[in-house]
Amino acid sequence: MSVDQTDITKVALLARLEIDEADVPQYVDNLSNILALVEQMNEVDTDRVVPMAHPLDAAQRLRPDEVTEVDQRDRFQALAPQVEAGLYLVPKVIE
Amino acid sequence: MHTKTIAQLSAALRSGEISSVELTTLFLARIKQHNPALNCYISITEAQALEAAATADRRLKEGDATPLTGIPIAHKDIFCTEGVKTTCGSKMLDNFIAPYESTCTAKFAAAGAVMLGKSNMDEFAMGSSNETSYYGAVKNPWDQGRVPGGSSGGSVAAVAARLAPAATGTDTGGSIRQPAALCGLTGLKPTYGRVSRYGMIAFASSLDQAGPVTYSAEDAALLMNVMAGFDERDSTSVEREVPDYTAELTNSIEGLKIGLPKEYFDGGLDDSIARVIESAIQAYEALGAVVKEISLPNTALAVPTYYVVAPAECSTNLSRFDGVRFGHRCDDPKDLFDLYTRSRGEGFGAEVKRRIMIGTYVLSAGYYDAYYLKAQKIRRLISEDFRAAFETVDVIMGPTAPSTAFKLGEKADDPVTMYLSDIYTIAVNMAGLPAASIPAGFVDGLPVGLQVIGNYFEESRLLNVAHQYQQATDWHLQVPAEFQ
C-alpha cells in the first residue's frame, strides 16, 4: 500500500508532529517504501495463529494496592519548561 | 593497561598494581585525546568518576570489593543517571538532567564500577549506524570514514578504541550485536526480561533489552552478574534466579550441537563474510562441536514485521514527549496544539519522525488488524521457528551483519536499505531470545562478527560457547592500530 500527501498530513496531525510542507513528498516516498516492505507480511496465512504480545507470553504482574512512591513534585517540576504554584503551565485552552 | 580485559584489570586493582583513581585518570586522558575525532561520548563525567574511583579504592583496601569495583565503564545515554544529563541522542532531551537512576546503572554503581560518561547513540536508539544522533555521527575506530553500527555505536566505539574497558548497550533489533560485529567486540543481548528496563528510555517496550559490550565473553559474564535480575519496578522483568555467569565459561563444548540456518547463508550475504563465518564454524568443529543445517522458514519476515511492531510501540512511547513536563518546548506557542506539534517537530530528528509516522499510521483507525495484529501473529511464527530448531540443536550460529562497516552517509538517505542491515539480528528480538556477537575475523581490515543465538535464559551457555572460541582464537584481542 502506498500513501499520498493527504495521508501524511493526516498522520502528522494524529501524531501531533509538525512537518515542513517541503518535506511532505519525501515522507510520501519513505513511508510508501517502508509500507511496501511491510506488505511482505501478507504473503503468509495467519488465520489460525494466536497473536504474540510478549516474547515469553507472561501475564502482567499484580501487586498490592499500596502507596510506594514519595512526593517528589518539586524535583520533577524543576525540569519543566514552565510551572507556577505546583502546576504545569500551557497556553490557554478554554476561552 | 588500557588494552587489558576487565578480568585482568580487576586482578591488577586487587594486587595494588594500579589504583582505580589511576586507572580512571588513564581512561579520562584517553577520552580527552581521542573523543574529539571519534565522538563516542555525549557527556564525560570526570568529577563524579574520580570521586567514585576514590571510593572504589577505599573499598578495595577494606576488602569490600566486587569484581567490578574500581572498573571504569561507559553507559549508553539511554539510561537515566541521576543528576547527569541524559539525552537519548535527541535534541528533545538536550536539557534533561535525569531526576532518578535506572536500575541497571544503579547496580553498576553499587558494585563499585566507575562511570566515565554517557555514550553517543542513534536518536532514541533508532538507527543502525549512529548517524541519527543529534550529537553527530560516531566514527568506527577501525576506519574513521565508516560507521560503528548502531544504535549503541558510542558504547561500542568507546570500547573498541579502548576509551573504556566495557560499556552498557541496549538492543531492540540488533543495537548491541550489530555494532559489536562492526567494531570487533563481544556484545550480548540477554533474554527479554532478564535485565531491568526501569530508567532505560523506552523505544519498543516488547523488544528492548540491555546488555554488555566488552572485549571478551568472560568480561561479558562479569557484567551480566551485575546487570541481570528481577526488578519489581519493571513490569516485564522476569522473576527467575540469576546464575553466576562465569561458572560455565570453562566447560568443554565437546558434542555441542550447532544449528546453521540455511536462510542466513542465502543470497544477501557477502561472500567474504560467509568465508569468515565458515572458518569460525570449522574452529568450533575442531573444538568438538557438531554442526547441523536447520531451517528458520520465516526469517525473511522478521524485518517487515519489526517495522510494524517497533514503530507502533515507538509512536506510543514517544507520545510522552509533549513539551509540557520536561524536554524541549518550542518558543511562544500560540495554543496547546501548536505547543505539541512544534515542540515535537523541533525536538525529534528525521528518523524518529519517520518511525512515529509509520507507527501512528499502522495503529490508526481501521489499520490495526491489518498491521499490528498481523505482525504479532507473524511474531509467533518466527518464535515457533526457533522453538522447533532448539529441539534439535543447542545453539544457532550465523553472521551478525550482512556486511562489514559501511561508509558514513552511504545508507543514510535510504531507510529501507538501512533497515535490511539488521536482517540477521531482528528475529532474535521478535522471539525474545538471547544472542551474542563475537569477533570472528576480518575482511579488508574490518571486523566480522559471528552471531550465536541461544534458547531462553541460556546466557551462560552462550558465554561458555563464546569463551571456548576465544580461548582458541585471538580475534577478540585485536586493537585498531591507532588505539593500541
Side-chain angles (χ1 to χ4, degrees), chain A residues 1 15-16 18 27 30 37-38 41 44 46 49-53 57 61 75 79-82 89 91, chain B residues 82 97 99 230 234 237 301 304 308 324-325 329 339 341-342 344 353-354 361 374 376-377 380 383 430:
Chain A
M1 189 185 288
R16 298 293 184 267
E18 186 185 64
Y27 276 98
N30 285 166
L37 173 78
V38 163
M41 294 196 309
V44 188
T46 52
V49 181
V50 181
M52 182 173 120
D57 283 330
R61 208 171 46 244
R75 194 161 184 210
L79 292 161
Q82 221 186 341
L89 297 191
Chain B
E82 190 173 348
I97 309 292
F230 173 67
D234 171 1
S237 172
L301 290 171
V308 173
V324 174
R325 292 155 302 156
R329 177 186 282 203
L339 186 154
T341 56
R342 239 171 356 105
R344 289 163 61 78
K353 284 186 201 167
R354 205 149 38 222
Y361 180 82
K374 178 86 182 177
Q376 284 190 313
K377 288 178 171 187
R380 183 168 305 278
S383 301
M430 301 305 284

Side-chain angles (χ1 to χ4, degrees), chain A residues 37-88:
Chain A
L37 173 78
V38 163
E39 291 296 304
Q40 291 174 29
M41 294 196 309
N42 295 330
E43 293 162 16
V44 188
D45 176 10
T46 52
D47 278 356
R48 278 187 290 276
V49 181
V50 181
M52 182 173 120
H54 187 291
L56 302 168
D57 283 330
Q60 198 74 339
R61 208 171 46 244
L62 299 176
R63 65 165 176 83
D65 186 15
E66 288 161 1
V67 176
T68 55
E69 293 295 319
V70 294
D71 177 18
Q72 301 189 68
R73 185 174 71 177
D74 292 346
R75 194 161 184 210
F76 295 149
Q77 290 200 331
L79 292 161
Q82 221 186 341
V83 288
E84 197 179 294
L87 303 171
Y88 291 97

Side-chain angles (χ1 to χ4, degrees), chain B residues 11-355:
Chain B
L13 286 166
R14 272 154 206 272
S15 73
E17 190 189 332
I18 191 167
S19 71
S20 178
V21 169
E22 287 164 344
L23 190 60
T24 302
T25 305
L26 172 85
F27 278 103
L28 287 168
R30 287 184 62 77
I31 292 169
K32 273 181 203 157
Q33 185 187 350
H34 296 292
N35 196 55
L38 295 173
N39 197 28
C40 32
Y41 285 90
I42 291 173
S43 302
I44 300 159
T45 50
E46 179 167 0
Q48 291 107 309
L50 290 170
E51 202 184 308
T55 307
D57 282 332
R58 278 196 296 279
R59 279 180 72 172
L60 283 156
K61 202 172 285 175
E62 288 160 9
D64 171 35
T66 77
L68 287 196
T69 302
I71 301 288
I73 188 168
H75 288 309
K76 186 174 182 178
D77 208 14
I78 198 167
F79 293 102
C80 285
T81 42
E82 190 173 348
V84 174
K85 189 162 101 159
T86 299
T87 70
C88 221
S90 182
K91 180 183 177 183
M92 181 59 86
L93 291 176
D94 187 49
N95 61 4
F96 183 68
I97 309 292
Y100 71 108
E101 187 84 16
S102 78
T103 297
C104 185
T105 52
K107 284 178 146 189
F108 278 109
V114 174
M115 178 173 79
L116 293 167
K118 305 292 292 290
S119 62
N120 203 341
M121 55 182 286
D122 278 301
E123 186 179 5
F124 285 104
M126 297 173 201
S128 310
S129 68
N130 216 114
E131 292 170 293
T132 74
S133 170
Y134 173 64
Y135 301 91
V138 175
K139 313 291 163 50
N140 188 318
W142 291 95
D143 176 347
Q144 294 183 35
R146 292 175 189 272
V147 305
S151 67
S152 309
S155 287
V156 170
V159 179
R162 274 49 179 174
L163 307 188
T168 51
T170 61
D171 191 316
T172 303
S175 282
I176 289 174
R177 290 160 288 153
Q178 183 256 16
L182 269 45
C183 291
L185 295 175
T186 303
L188 172 69
K189 183 206 93 78
T191 307
Y192 180 78
R194 183 78 284 195
V195 177
S196 170
R197 294 185 298 109
Y198 178 79
M200 188 178 111
I201 297 169
F203 160 15
S205 303
S206 75
L207 304 168
D208 297 342
Q209 182 61 200
V213 174
T214 53
Y215 310 147
S216 69
E218 183 183 15
D219 284 0
L222 291 169
L223 264 68
M224 279 298 289
N225 278 351
V226 174
M227 301 173 87
F230 173 67
D231 180 6
E232 63 181 19
R233 290 177 298 183
D234 171 1
S235 65
T236 57
S237 172
V238 175
E239 259 183 293
R240 190 184 167 109
E241 203 183 329
V242 179
D244 174 0
Y245 290 103
T246 62
E248 293 179 27
L249 289 175
T250 55
N251 287 3
S252 161
I253 55 164
E254 180 82 44
L256 177 82
K257 292 194 281 288
I258 299 174
L260 301 180
K262 62 178 167 56
E263 293 81 4
Y264 285 27
F265 295 88
D266 280 354
L269 183 64
D270 190 283
D271 281 348
S272 54
I273 306 266
R275 279 195 292 277
V276 170
I277 300 303
E278 279 155 21
S279 63
I281 304 293
Q282 282 162 14
Y284 271 106
E285 286 179 304
L287 290 168
V290 184
V291 173
K292 181 186 170 195
E293 186 184 90
I294 58 165
S295 175
L296 300 170
N298 293 295
T299 294
L301 290 171
V303 174
T305 308
Y306 179 86
Y307 280 95
V308 173
V309 174
E313 295 182 12
C314 127
S315 73
T316 310
N317 273 323
L318 270 56
S319 65
R320 75 192 57 175
F321 300 103
D322 56 5
V324 174
R325 292 155 302 156
F326 58 92
H328 177 75
R329 177 186 282 203
C330 64
D331 289 333
D332 303 319
K334 66 177 177 0
D335 55 26
L336 192 58
F337 181 80
D338 184 45
L339 186 154
Y340 290 151
T341 56
R342 239 171 356 105
S343 298
R344 289 163 61 78
E346 293 167 4
F348 294 135
E351 180 61 22
V352 172
K353 284 186 201 167
R354 205 149 38 222
R355 299 211 194 178

